Amino acid sequence: MILNTRLSLAAALTAGLALSALSACALADGMPPTRTTAKLSPAGLKGSATPWVTASRKPNDSGVKLQYRLDGAPQAGKPTVVVLQFDGVSDPAGASVTLTVDAGLTLSGSASLSLPPGQRSDTSVTVISQGDGLAYLNVFIKQAGRTSAISIPIQTGAAAPAMKANGEIKSLPGGDNIISLPAK
């Protein structure tokens, strides 16, 4: 009987130590782990929209948060709707947005927007890929003299992006290899 009590006590202590170690690891910084959930539009509930993506930010950016999503998979020659959501406009004068596209994409609609202060703004823009490959929709946000530059990838087709083959591999005296490209 004494042996069973000691084993049960030892098992309970081991389980307790394991649980406390697990919770200490999970909350080592004192903050619970963050959860991310993807927001989908009503169309996304049918599987046609991708989840929201939050654009990365730099410490000295405009201060405006950008989230975006593509409604549907981009196809060559067909329009793709890109939904943009802006938040965090704090300047009383508001913020401005300028949109540009890389070669291989066409932008339909207005290339500039004004964002009012203190509220979330949503807009949709349409891009058309001229062929398979990777191109970017560039979003420039300006607020209070500071600018953010965000590039939204538009991947058309299944082809993975590849480096152009117009360079020459050269070896340096230290043994490193470089690709020499002509100046444009």
Side-chain angles (χ1 to χ4, degrees):
M1 207 60 176
I2 295 175
L3 183 57
N4 279 343
T5 308
R6 287 185 183 169
L7 284 176
S8 298
L9 182 60
L13 285 173
T14 304
L17 288 174
L19 283 175
S20 66
L22 179 62
S23 64
C25 291
L27 301 174
D29 63 354
M31 298 296 293
T34 58
R35 293 183 185 189
T36 57
T37 57
K39 298 179 193 174
L40 295 177
S41 69
L45 297 175
K46 293 182 261 176
S48 65
T50 57
W52 288 101
V53 176
T54 301
S56 61
R57 297 184 50 198
K58 295 183 180 178
N60 60 347
D61 71 358
S62 68
V64 177
K65 175 183 172 183
L66 170 65
Q67 289 186 304
Y68 63 89
R69 73 164 189 254
L70 304 179
D71 282 346
Q75 296 179 11
K78 296 188 178 178
T80 301
V81 175
V82 182
V83 182
L84 305 171
Q85 186 177 80
F86 302 93
D87 201 5
V89 179
S90 57
D91 186 12
S96 64
V97 176
T98 304
L99 305 170
T100 64
V101 290
D102 286 352
L105 278 182
T106 304
L107 178 66
S108 295
S110 178
S112 61
L113 308 163
S114 294
L115 304 177
Q119 64 187 28
R120 184 182 337 188
S121 300
D122 296 311
T123 191
S124 296
V125 296
T126 302
V127 295
I128 301 170
S129 289
Q130 297 168 358
D132 287 351
L134 178 65
Y136 293 92
L137 168 64
N138 303 300
V139 182
F140 300 95
I141 307 168
K142 194 170 202 172
Q143 173 180 240
R146 297 178 301 171
T147 303
S148 298
I150 297 113
S151 295
I152 299 173
I154 309 295
Q155 175 67 51
T156 305
M163 189 172 83
K164 294 179 182 175
N166 63 349
E168 177 183 335
I169 298 177
K170 295 184 179 180
S171 295
L172 295 176
D176 293 330
N177 291 328
I178 62 167
I179 297 175
S180 175
L181 297 172
K184 291 186 179 184

